[in-house]
Coordinates of all heavy atoms in Angstrom, one line a residue:
M1 N 67.2 -12.8 34.3 CA 65.9 -12.7 33.6 C 65.1 -11.5 34.0 O 64.0 -11.7 34.3 CB 65.1 -14.0 33.8 CG 65.6 -15.2 33.2 SD 64.3 -16.3 32.9 CE 64.8 -17.1 31.4
S2 N 65.7 -10.4 34.0 CA 64.9 -9.2 34.3 C 64.2 -8.6 33.2 O 64.7 -8.7 32.0 CB 65.9 -8.2 34.9 OG 66.8 -7.7 33.9
V3 N 63.1 -8.1 33.4 CA 62.3 -7.4 32.3 C 62.7 -6.0 32.2 O 62.7 -5.2 33.2 CB 60.8 -7.6 32.6 CG1 59.9 -7.0 31.5 CG2 60.4 -9.0 32.8
S4 N 62.9 -5.6 30.9 CA 63.4 -4.2 30.8 C 62.2 -3.3 30.8 O 61.0 -3.7 30.6 CB 64.2 -4.0 29.5 OG 63.3 -4.2 28.4
F5 N 62.5 -2.0 31.0 CA 61.5 -0.9 31.0 C 60.7 -0.9 29.7 O 59.5 -0.7 29.6 CB 62.1 0.3 31.4 CG 61.1 1.5 31.3 CD1 60.2 1.7 32.4 CD2 61.1 2.5 30.3 CE1 59.3 2.7 32.4 CE2 60.3 3.4 30.4 CZ 59.3 3.6 31.3
I6 N 61.5 -1.1 28.6 CA 60.8 -0.9 27.3 C 59.9 -2.1 27.1 O 58.8 -2.0 26.5 CB 62.0 -1.0 26.2 CG1 62.8 0.3 26.3 CG2 61.4 -1.1 24.8 CD1 64.0 0.3 25.4
E7 N 60.2 -3.3 27.6 CA 59.3 -4.4 27.4 C 58.0 -4.2 28.1 O 56.9 -4.6 27.6 CB 60.0 -5.7 27.8 CG 61.1 -6.2 26.9 CD 61.9 -7.4 27.5 OE1 62.0 -7.4 28.8 OE2 62.5 -8.1 26.7
V8 N 58.1 -3.7 29.3 CA 56.9 -3.4 30.1 C 56.0 -2.3 29.5 O 54.8 -2.5 29.3 CB 57.3 -2.9 31.5 CG1 56.1 -2.5 32.4 CG2 58.0 -4.0 32.3
V9 N 56.7 -1.3 28.9 CA 56.0 -0.2 28.2 C 55.2 -0.8 27.0 O 54.1 -0.5 26.7 CB 56.9 0.9 27.9 CG1 56.2 2.0 27.0 CG2 57.3 1.6 29.1
L10 N 56.0 -1.6 26.3 CA 55.3 -2.2 25.1 C 54.1 -3.1 25.4 O 53.1 -3.1 24.8 CB 56.4 -3.1 24.3 CG 57.4 -2.3 23.4 CD1 58.5 -3.2 22.9 CD2 56.7 -1.5 22.4
L11 N 54.3 -3.9 26.5 CA 53.3 -4.8 27.0 C 52.0 -4.0 27.4 O 50.9 -4.4 26.9 CB 53.8 -5.7 28.1 CG 52.8 -6.7 28.6 CD1 52.3 -7.7 27.5 CD2 53.3 -7.4 29.8
V12 N 52.3 -3.0 28.1 CA 51.2 -2.0 28.6 C 50.4 -1.4 27.2 O 49.2 -1.4 27.2 CB 51.6 -1.0 29.6 CG1 50.5 0.1 29.8 CG2 52.1 -1.6 30.9
G13 N 51.3 -1.0 26.4 CA 50.7 -0.3 25.1 C 49.9 -1.3 24.3 O 48.8 -1.0 23.9
I14 N 50.4 -2.6 24.2 CA 49.6 -3.6 23.4 C 48.3 -3.9 24.2 O 47.2 -4.0 23.5 CB 50.5 -4.9 23.3 CG1 51.6 -4.6 22.3 CG2 49.6 -6.0 22.8 CD1 52.6 -5.7 22.2
I15 N 48.3 -4.0 25.5 CA 47.1 -4.3 26.2 C 46.1 -3.2 26.0 O 44.9 -3.3 25.9 CB 47.4 -4.5 27.7 CG1 48.1 -5.9 27.8 CG2 46.2 -4.6 28.6 CD1 48.7 -6.1 29.2
Y16 N 46.6 -1.9 26.1 CA 45.7 -0.8 25.9 C 45.1 -0.7 24.6 O 43.9 -0.6 24.3 CB 46.6 0.5 26.1 CG 45.8 1.8 25.7 CD1 44.8 2.2 26.7 CD2 46.0 2.4 24.6 CE1 44.1 3.4 26.4 CE2 45.2 3.6 24.2 CZ 44.3 4.1 25.2 OH 43.6 5.1 24.8
L17 N 46.0 -1.1 23.5 CA 45.4 -1.1 22.1 C 44.3 -2.2 22.0 O 43.3 -2.0 21.3 CB 46.4 -1.3 21.1 CG 47.5 -0.2 21.0 CD1 48.6 -0.6 20.0 CD2 46.7 1.0 20.4
L18 N 44.6 -3.4 22.6 CA 43.6 -4.5 22.4 C 42.2 -4.1 23.2 O 41.2 -4.4 22.6 CB 44.2 -5.8 23.1 CG 45.3 -6.4 22.4 CD1 45.8 -7.5 23.2 CD2 44.7 -7.0 21.0
L19 N 42.3 -3.5 24.3 CA 41.1 -3.0 25.0 C 40.4 -2.0 24.1 O 39.1 -2.0 24.1 CB 41.5 -2.5 26.4 CG 41.9 -3.4 27.4 CD1 42.4 -2.9 28.7 CD2 40.8 -4.5 27.7
T20 N 41.1 -1.1 23.6 CA 40.4 0.0 22.7 C 39.8 -0.6 21.5 O 38.7 -0.3 21.2 CB 41.6 1.0 22.3 OG1 42.2 1.7 23.4 CG2 40.9 2.1 21.5
V21 N 40.4 -1.6 20.9 CA 39.8 -2.2 19.7 C 38.6 -2.9 20.1 O 37.6 -2.9 19.5 CB 40.9 -3.1 19.0 CG1 40.2 -4.1 18.0 CG2 42.0 -2.3 18.4
S22 N 38.6 -3.6 21.3 CA 37.5 -4.3 21.7 C 36.3 -3.4 22.0 O 35.1 -3.7 21.6 CB 37.9 -5.1 23.0 OG 36.8 -5.7 23.6
K23 N 36.6 -2.3 22.7 CA 35.5 -1.3 22.8 C 34.9 -0.8 21.5 O 33.7 -0.6 21.4 CB 36.0 -0.1 23.7 CG 36.3 -0.4 25.1 CD 36.8 0.8 25.8 CE 37.2 0.4 27.2 NZ 37.8 1.7 27.9
M24 N 35.8 -0.5 20.5 CA 35.3 -0.1 19.2 C 34.4 -1.1 18.6 O 33.5 -0.7 18.0 CB 36.5 0.3 18.3 CG 37.2 1.5 18.8 SD 38.8 1.9 17.9 CE 38.1 2.1 16.3
Q25 N 34.8 -2.4 18.7 CA 33.9 -3.5 18.1 C 32.6 -3.5 18.8 O 31.6 -3.7 18.1 CB 34.7 -4.8 18.2 CG 35.9 -4.9 17.3 CD 36.6 -6.3 17.5 OE1 36.7 -6.8 18.6 NE2 37.2 -6.7 16.4
D26 N 32.6 -3.3 20.1 CA 31.3 -3.4 20.8 C 30.5 -2.2 20.3 O 29.2 -2.4 20.1 CB 31.5 -3.2 22.3 CG 32.1 -4.5 22.9 OD1 32.0 -5.6 22.3 OD2 32.7 -4.5 24.0
R27 N 31.0 -1.0 20.1 CA 30.3 0.1 19.7 C 29.7 -0.2 18.2 O 28.6 0.2 18.0 CB 31.2 1.4 19.7 CG 31.5 1.9 21.1 CD 32.2 3.2 21.0 NE 32.6 3.6 22.3 CZ 33.4 4.6 22.5 NH1 34.0 5.2 21.6 NH2 33.7 5.0 23.7
M28 N 30.5 -0.6 17.4 CA 30.1 -0.9 16.0 C 29.0 -1.9 16.0 O 28.0 -1.8 15.2 CB 31.2 -1.4 15.2 CG 32.2 -0.3 14.9 SD 33.7 -0.9 14.0 CE 33.0 -1.8 12.6
N29 N 29.0 -3.0 16.8 CA 28.0 -4.0 16.9 C 26.6 -3.3 17.4 O 25.6 -3.6 17.0 CB 28.4 -5.1 17.9 CG 29.3 -6.0 17.2 OD1 29.4 -6.1 15.9 ND2 30.2 -6.8 18.0
G30 N 26.8 -2.4 18.4 CA 25.6 -1.6 18.8 C 25.0 -0.8 17.7 O 23.8 -0.7 17.6
M31 N 25.9 -0.1 16.9 CA 25.4 0.7 15.9 C 24.7 -0.2 14.8 O 23.7 0.2 14.2 CB 26.5 1.5 15.2 CG 26.9 2.7 16.2 SD 28.2 3.8 15.4 CE 29.6 2.7 15.0
K32 N 25.3 -1.3 14.5 CA 24.7 -2.2 13.5 C 23.3 -2.7 14.0 O 22.3 -2.7 13.2 CB 25.5 -3.4 13.4 CG 26.8 -3.3 12.5 CD 27.5 -4.6 12.4 CE 28.9 -4.4 11.7 NZ 29.6 -5.7 11.6
N33 N 23.1 -3.0 15.3 CA 21.8 -3.4 15.8 C 20.8 -2.2 15.7 O 19.7 -2.4 15.3 CB 21.9 -3.9 17.3 CG 22.7 -5.1 17.4 OD1 22.7 -5.9 16.4 ND2 23.3 -5.4 18.5
S34 N 21.3 -1.0 16.0 CA 20.4 0.2 16.0 C 20.0 0.5 14.5 O 18.8 0.7 14.3 CB 21.2 1.4 16.6 OG 21.5 1.2 17.8
L35 N 20.9 0.3 13.6 CA 20.5 0.5 12.2 C 19.5 -0.5 11.7 O 18.6 -0.2 11.0 CB 21.8 0.4 11.3 CG 22.7 1.7 11.3 CD1 24.1 1.4 10.6 CD2 22.0 2.9 10.8
E36 N 19.7 -1.8 12.2 CA 18.7 -2.9 11.8 C 17.4 -2.6 12.3 O 16.4 -2.7 11.7 CB 19.3 -4.2 12.2 CG 18.4 -5.4 11.8 CD 18.2 -5.6 10.3 OE1 19.1 -5.1 9.5 OE2 17.3 -6.1 9.9
Q37 N 17.4 -2.1 13.5 CA 16.1 -1.7 14.2 C 15.4 -0.6 13.4 O 14.1 -0.6 13.2 CB 16.2 -1.4 15.7 CG 16.6 -2.6 16.6 CD 16.9 -2.1 18.0 OE1 16.9 -1.0 18.3 NE2 17.1 -3.1 18.9
M38 N 16.2 0.4 13.0 CA 15.6 1.5 12.3 C 15.0 1.0 11.0 O 14.0 1.5 10.4 CB 16.6 2.6 12.2 CG 16.9 3.4 13.4 SD 17.9 4.9 13.1 CE 19.6 4.2 13.1
R39 N 15.9 0.2 10.3 CA 15.4 -0.3 9.0 C 14.1 -1.0 9.1 O 13.2 -0.8 8.3 CB 16.4 -1.3 8.4 CG 16.0 -1.8 7.1 CD 16.9 -3.0 6.6 NE 16.6 -4.3 7.3 CZ 15.6 -5.0 7.3 NH1 14.6 -4.7 6.4 NH2 15.4 -6.1 8.0
K40 N 13.9 -1.8 10.2 CA 12.7 -2.6 10.3 C 11.5 -1.5 10.6 O 10.4 -1.7 10.1 CB 12.8 -3.6 11.5 CG 13.6 -4.7 11.0 CD 13.8 -5.7 12.3 CE 14.7 -6.9 11.8 NZ 14.9 -7.9 12.8
Q41 N 11.8 -0.6 11.5 CA 10.8 0.4 11.9 C 10.3 1.2 10.7 O 9.1 1.6 10.5 CB 11.2 1.4 13.0 CG 11.3 0.6 14.3 CD 11.9 1.6 15.4 OE1 12.4 2.6 15.1 NE2 11.9 1.0 16.6
M42 N 11.2 1.6 9.8 CA 11.0 2.4 8.6 C 10.5 1.5 7.4 O 10.2 2.0 6.4 CB 12.2 3.2 8.2 CG 12.6 4.1 9.3 SD 14.2 4.9 9.0 CE 13.7 6.3 7.9
D43 N 10.4 0.2 7.7 CA 9.9 -0.7 6.7 C 10.7 -0.6 5.4 O 10.2 -0.6 4.3 CB 8.4 -0.5 6.4 CG 7.8 -1.8 5.7 OD1 8.3 -2.9 6.1 OD2 6.8 -1.6 5.0
L44 N 12.0 -0.4 5.5 CA 12.9 -0.4 4.3 C 13.2 -1.8 4.0 O 13.3 -2.7 4.7 CB 14.2 0.3 4.7 CG 14.1 1.8 5.0 CD1 15.4 2.4 5.5 CD2 13.5 2.6 3.9
P45 N 13.4 -2.0 2.8 CA 13.8 -3.5 2.2 C 15.1 -3.8 2.7 O 16.0 -3.0 2.8 CB 13.7 -3.3 0.7 CG 14.0 -1.9 0.4 CD 13.4 -1.1 1.5
E46 N 15.3 -5.1 3.0 CA 16.6 -5.6 3.4 C 17.6 -5.7 2.2 O 17.1 -5.6 1.0 CB 16.6 -6.9 4.1 CG 16.1 -8.1 3.3 CD 16.0 -9.3 4.1 OE1 16.2 -9.3 5.3 OE2 15.8 -10.4 3.5
D47 N 18.8 -6.0 2.4 CA 19.8 -6.1 1.4 C 19.4 -7.2 0.5 O 19.1 -8.3 0.9 CB 21.2 -6.4 2.0 CG 22.2 -6.2 1.0 OD1 22.1 -6.6 -0.1 OD2 23.3 -5.6 1.4
P48 N 19.3 -7.0 -0.9 CA 18.9 -8.0 -1.8 C 19.7 -9.3 -1.8 O 19.4 -10.4 -2.1 CB 18.9 -7.4 -3.2 CG 19.4 -6.0 -3.0 CD 19.6 -5.8 -1.6
I49 N 21.0 -9.2 -1.3 CA 21.9 -10.4 -1.2 C 21.3 -11.4 -0.3 O 21.7 -12.6 -0.4 CB 23.3 -9.9 -0.9 CG1 24.2 -11.0 -1.1 CG2 23.3 -9.6 0.5 CD1 24.7 -11.3 -2.5
N50 N 20.6 -11.0 0.6 CA 20.0 -12.0 1.6 C 19.2 -13.1 1.0 O 19.2 -14.2 1.6 CB 19.2 -11.2 2.7 CG 20.1 -10.4 3.6 OD1 21.3 -10.5 3.6 ND2 19.5 -9.6 4.5
D51 N 18.5 -12.8 0.0 CA 17.7 -13.9 -0.7 C 18.7 -14.9 -1.3 O 18.3 -16.1 -1.2 CB 16.8 -13.3 -1.8 CG 15.7 -12.4 -1.3 OD1 15.3 -12.6 -0.1 OD2 15.2 -11.5 -2.0
D52 N 19.7 -14.4 -1.9 CA 20.7 -15.4 -2.6 C 21.3 -16.2 -1.3 O 21.5 -17.4 -1.5 CB 21.8 -14.6 -3.2 CG 21.2 -14.0 -4.5 OD1 20.2 -14.4 -5.0 OD2 21.9 -13.0 -4.9
L53 N 21.6 -15.5 -0.2 CA 22.2 -16.3 0.8 C 21.3 -17.3 1.5 O 21.7 -18.4 1.8 CB 22.8 -15.2 1.9 CG 23.8 -14.2 1.5 CD1 24.0 -13.2 2.6 CD2 25.1 -14.9 1.0
R54 N 20.1 -16.9 1.6 CA 19.1 -17.9 2.2 C 18.9 -19.1 1.3 O 18.8 -20.2 1.8 CB 17.7 -17.2 2.3 CG 17.7 -16.2 3.5 CD 16.2 -15.7 3.7 NE 16.2 -14.8 4.8 CZ 16.2 -13.4 4.6 NH1 16.2 -13.0 3.4 NH2 16.2 -12.6 5.6
Q55 N 19.0 -18.9 -0.1 CA 19.0 -20.0 -1.0 C 20.1 -20.9 -0.8 O 20.0 -22.2 -0.7 CB 18.8 -19.5 -2.5 CG 18.6 -20.6 -3.4 CD 17.4 -21.4 -3.2 OE1 16.4 -20.9 -2.8 NE2 17.5 -22.8 -3.5
L56 N 21.3 -20.3 -0.7 CA 22.6 -21.1 -0.5 C 22.5 -21.9 0.8 O 22.8 -23.1 0.9 CB 23.8 -20.3 -0.5 CG 24.2 -19.7 -1.9 CD1 25.2 -18.7 -1.8 CD2 24.7 -20.8 -2.7
I57 N 21.9 -21.2 1.9 CA 21.9 -21.9 3.2 C 20.8 -23.1 3.0 O 21.1 -24.1 3.6 CB 21.3 -20.9 4.2 CG1 22.5 -19.9 4.5 CG2 20.9 -21.6 5.5 CD1 22.0 -18.6 5.3
K58 N 19.7 -22.8 2.4 CA 18.7 -23.8 2.1 C 19.3 -25.0 1.4 O 19.0 -26.2 1.8 CB 17.5 -23.3 1.4 CG 16.3 -24.2 1.3 CD 15.3 -23.6 0.5 CE 14.1 -24.4 0.3 NZ 13.0 -23.7 -0.5
E59 N 20.2 -24.9 0.5 CA 20.8 -25.9 -0.3 C 22.0 -26.6 0.5 O 22.6 -27.5 0.0 CB 21.4 -25.3 -1.5 CG 20.4 -24.9 -2.5 CD 20.8 -24.1 -3.7 OE1 22.1 -24.0 -3.8 OE2 20.0 -23.6 -4.4
G60 N 22.2 -26.1 1.8 CA 23.4 -26.6 2.6 C 24.6 -26.1 2.2 O 25.7 -26.7 2.5
K61 N 24.8 -25.0 1.5 CA 26.1 -24.4 1.0 C 26.4 -23.3 1.9 O 26.6 -22.2 1.4 CB 25.9 -24.1 -0.5 CG 25.6 -25.2 -1.4 CD 25.4 -24.8 -2.8 CE 25.1 -26.0 -3.7 NZ 24.8 -25.6 -5.1
D62 N 26.6 -23.5 3.2 CA 26.9 -22.5 4.1 C 28.3 -21.7 3.8 O 28.3 -20.5 3.9 CB 27.0 -23.0 5.5 CG 25.6 -23.5 6.0 OD1 24.6 -23.4 5.2 OD2 25.5 -23.8 7.2
I63 N 29.2 -22.5 3.4 CA 30.6 -21.9 3.1 C 30.4 -21.0 1.9 O 31.0 -19.9 1.9 CB 31.6 -23.0 2.8 CG1 31.8 -23.8 4.2 CG2 33.0 -22.4 2.3 CD1 32.7 -25.0 4.0
K64 N 29.7 -21.4 0.9 CA 29.5 -20.5 -0.3 C 28.7 -19.3 0.1 O 29.1 -18.2 -0.3 CB 28.8 -21.2 -1.4 CG 29.7 -22.2 -2.2 CD 29.0 -22.8 -3.4 CE 30.0 -23.8 -4.1 NZ 29.3 -24.3 -5.3
A65 N 27.9 -19.4 1.1 CA 27.0 -18.3 1.5 C 27.9 -17.3 2.2 O 27.9 -16.1 2.0 CB 25.9 -18.8 2.4
V66 N 28.8 -17.9 3.0 CA 29.7 -16.9 3.9 C 30.7 -16.3 2.8 O 30.9 -14.9 3.0 CB 30.6 -17.7 4.9 CG1 31.7 -16.9 5.4 CG2 29.8 -18.3 5.9
K67 N 31.2 -17.0 1.8 CA 32.0 -16.2 0.9 C 31.2 -15.2 0.1 O 31.8 -14.1 -0.1 CB 32.6 -17.3 -0.2 CG 33.4 -16.8 -1.2 CD 34.0 -17.9 -2.1 CE 34.9 -17.2 -3.1 NZ 35.4 -18.2 -4.1
K68 N 30.1 -15.4 -0.4 CA 29.3 -14.5 -1.1 C 28.9 -13.3 -0.2 O 29.1 -12.1 -0.6 CB 28.0 -15.1 -1.6 CG 27.2 -14.2 -2.5 CD 26.2 -15.0 -3.3 CE 25.6 -14.1 -4.5 NZ 25.0 -14.9 -5.5
A69 N 28.6 -13.5 1.1 CA 28.3 -12.4 2.0 C 29.7 -11.5 2.2 O 29.5 -10.3 2.2 CB 27.9 -12.9 3.4
R70 N 30.8 -12.2 2.3 CA 32.0 -11.4 2.5 C 32.3 -10.6 1.2 O 32.7 -9.5 1.3 CB 33.2 -12.4 2.6 CG 33.1 -13.0 4.1 CD 34.3 -13.9 4.3 NE 35.5 -13.1 4.4 CZ 36.7 -13.4 4.0 NH1 37.0 -14.6 3.6 NH2 37.6 -12.5 4.3
E71 N 32.1 -11.2 0.1 CA 32.4 -10.4 -1.2 C 31.4 -9.3 -1.4 O 31.8 -8.1 -1.8 CB 32.3 -11.4 -2.4 CG 33.5 -12.4 -2.4 CD 33.3 -13.4 -3.5 OE1 32.2 -13.5 -4.1 OE2 34.2 -14.2 -3.6
A72 N 30.1 -9.6 -1.1 CA 29.1 -8.5 -1.4 C 29.1 -7.4 -0.4 O 28.8 -6.2 -0.7 CB 27.8 -9.2 -1.4
L73 N 29.3 -7.8 0.9 CA 29.2 -6.8 2.0 C 30.5 -6.3 2.5 O 30.5 -5.4 3.4 CB 28.4 -7.4 3.1 CG 27.0 -7.9 2.7 CD1 26.3 -8.7 3.8 CD2 26.1 -6.7 2.2
G74 N 31.7 -6.8 2.1 CA 32.9 -6.4 2.5 C 33.2 -6.8 4.0 O 33.8 -6.1 4.8
L75 N 32.8 -8.0 4.4 CA 33.0 -8.5 5.8 C 34.2 -9.3 6.0 O 34.7 -9.8 5.0 CB 31.7 -9.3 6.1 CG 30.3 -8.7 6.0 CD1 29.2 -9.7 6.2 CD2 30.2 -7.5 6.8
S76 N 34.6 -9.4 7.2 CA 35.7 -10.3 7.5 C 35.2 -11.7 7.6 O 33.9 -11.9 7.4 CB 36.3 -10.0 8.9 OG 35.4 -10.3 9.9
L77 N 35.9 -12.7 7.6 CA 35.5 -14.1 7.7 C 34.6 -14.3 8.9 O 33.6 -14.9 8.8 CB 36.8 -15.0 7.8 CG 36.5 -16.6 7.9 CD1 35.7 -16.9 6.7 CD2 37.7 -17.3 8.0
L78 N 35.0 -13.8 10.1 CA 34.2 -13.9 11.3 C 32.8 -13.3 11.1 O 31.7 -13.8 11.4 CB 34.9 -13.4 12.4 CG 34.1 -13.5 13.8 CD1 33.7 -14.9 14.1 CD2 34.9 -12.9 15.0
E79 N 32.9 -12.0 10.6 CA 31.6 -11.2 10.3 C 30.7 -11.9 9.3 O 29.5 -12.0 9.5 CB 31.9 -9.8 9.9 CG 32.6 -9.0 10.9 CD 33.1 -7.7 10.4 OE1 33.5 -7.7 9.2 OE2 33.3 -6.7 11.2
G80 N 31.4 -12.5 8.3 CA 30.5 -13.3 7.3 C 29.9 -14.4 7.9 O 28.7 -14.7 7.6
K81 N 30.6 -15.2 8.7 CA 30.0 -16.3 9.3 C 28.8 -15.9 10.2 O 27.8 -16.6 10.3 CB 31.1 -17.1 10.1 CG 30.7 -18.2 11.0 CD 30.6 -19.5 10.3 CE 30.4 -20.7 11.2 NZ 29.0 -20.9 11.6
Q82 N 29.1 -14.9 11.0 CA 28.1 -14.4 12.0 C 26.9 -13.9 11.1 O 25.7 -14.2 11.6 CB 28.6 -13.3 12.8 CG 29.6 -13.7 13.8 CD 30.3 -12.6 14.6 OE1 30.4 -11.5 14.1 NE2 30.9 -13.0 15.7
Y83 N 27.1 -13.3 10.0 CA 25.9 -12.8 9.2 C 25.0 -14.0 8.7 O 23.9 -13.9 8.8 CB 26.5 -12.0 8.1 CG 25.5 -11.2 7.3 CD1 25.1 -9.9 7.7 CD2 24.9 -11.7 6.2 CE1 24.2 -9.1 7.0 CE2 24.0 -11.0 5.4 CZ 23.6 -9.7 5.9 OH 22.7 -8.9 5.3
V84 N 25.9 -15.0 8.2 CA 25.1 -16.2 7.6 C 24.4 -16.9 8.8 O 23.2 -17.4 8.7 CB 26.1 -17.1 6.9 CG1 25.5 -18.4 6.6 CG2 26.5 -16.4 5.6
D85 N 25.1 -17.0 10.0 CA 24.4 -17.7 11.1 C 23.2 -16.9 11.5 O 22.2 -17.6 11.9 CB 25.5 -17.8 12.2 CG 26.5 -18.8 12.0 OD1 26.3 -19.7 11.1 OD2 27.5 -18.9 12.7
A86 N 23.2 -15.6 11.5 CA 22.0 -14.9 11.8 C 20.8 -15.2 10.9 O 19.7 -15.2 11.3 CB 22.3 -13.4 11.9
L87 N 21.2 -15.2 9.6 CA 20.1 -15.6 8.6 C 19.5 -17.0 8.9 O 18.4 -17.2 8.7 CB 20.7 -15.5 7.2 CG 21.0 -14.1 6.7 CD1 21.6 -14.2 5.3 CD2 19.7 -13.2 6.6
K88 N 20.4 -17.9 9.2 CA 20.1 -19.3 9.5 C 19.1 -19.3 10.7 O 18.1 -20.0 10.8 CB 21.2 -20.2 9.8 CG 22.0 -20.5 8.5 CD 23.3 -21.3 8.9 CE 23.1 -22.7 9.5 NZ 24.4 -23.4 9.5
D89 N 19.5 -18.5 11.8 CA 18.7 -18.5 13.0 C 17.4 -17.9 12.9 O 16.4 -18.3 13.5 CB 19.5 -17.7 14.1 CG 20.7 -18.4 14.6 OD1 20.8 -19.7 14.3 OD2 21.6 -17.8 15.2
E90 N 17.2 -17.0 11.9 CA 15.9 -16.3 11.7 C 14.9 -17.2 11.1 O 13.7 -17.1 11.3 CB 16.0 -15.0 11.0 CG 16.2 -15.1 9.5 CD 16.3 -13.8 8.8 OE1 16.6 -12.8 9.4 OE2 16.1 -13.8 7.5
N91 N 15.5 -18.2 10.4 CA 14.6 -19.3 9.8 C 14.3 -20.5 10.7 O 13.5 -21.4 10.3 CB 15.2 -19.8 8.4 CG 15.2 -18.6 7.4 OD1 14.5 -17.8 7.4 ND2 16.2 -18.7 6.5
S92 N 15.0 -20.6 11.8 CA 14.8 -21.7 12.7 C 13.5 -21.6 13.5 O 13.0 -20.6 13.8 CB 16.0 -21.9 13.6 OG 17.1 -22.1 12.8

């Protein structure tokens, strides 16, 4: 049961890629936060979809809100859920 050199190299490569992707996600989240802060400081209107999403949340249709956010904003499932959760949290 010896591990071959190629398997070790592949494992190290995969770990490196996962770490790189994680760092990129952190940077993107930081940029999103910065953009949101700038939007608020410049008093720019928020995305009009947020009103529709808030209405769906108010009606208890969180899943439909996530689906609509994903379609309108091009988000992944996780990002859509986080977006809707953030809207819910601001109203709490």
Side-chain angles (χ1 to χ4, degrees):
M1 290 204 146
S2 67
V3 178
S4 72
F5 177 73
I6 294 174
E7 290 172 331
V8 171
V9 170
L10 286 175
L11 183 61
V12 169
I14 290 171
I15 291 171
Y16 174 77
L17 289 174
L18 289 173
L19 290 173
T20 302
V21 169
S22 177
K23 287 179 186 178
M24 289 174 61
Q25 287 175 331
D26 290 342
R27 287 181 185 173
M28 287 177 54
N29 287 336
M31 289 190 296
K32 285 180 186 179
N33 292 337
S34 296
L35 287 171
E36 182 61 21
Q37 288 175 354
M38 286 189 280
R39 183 194 67 76
K40 287 178 181 177
Q41 288 176 353
M42 298 169 88
D43 200 29
L44 297 173
E46 67 179 5
D47 197 316
I49 192 71
N50 288 354
D51 293 333
D52 295 339
L53 297 176
R54 285 187 186 99
Q55 183 60 38
L56 288 170
I57 292 167
K58 186 177 179 181
E59 294 170 3
K61 299 178 180 176
D62 293 6
I63 295 173
K64 285 187 179 184
V66 171
K67 182 178 180 184
K68 189 164 190 162
R70 291 185 66 207
E71 291 171 352
L73 304 172
L75 304 174
S76 70
L77 180 58
L78 178 60
E79 291 168 333
K81 172 89 170 79
Q82 291 171 339
Y83 193 87
V84 168
D85 287 345
L87 288 176
K88 284 171 69 172
D89 289 344
E90 76 182 24
N91 293 331
S92 297

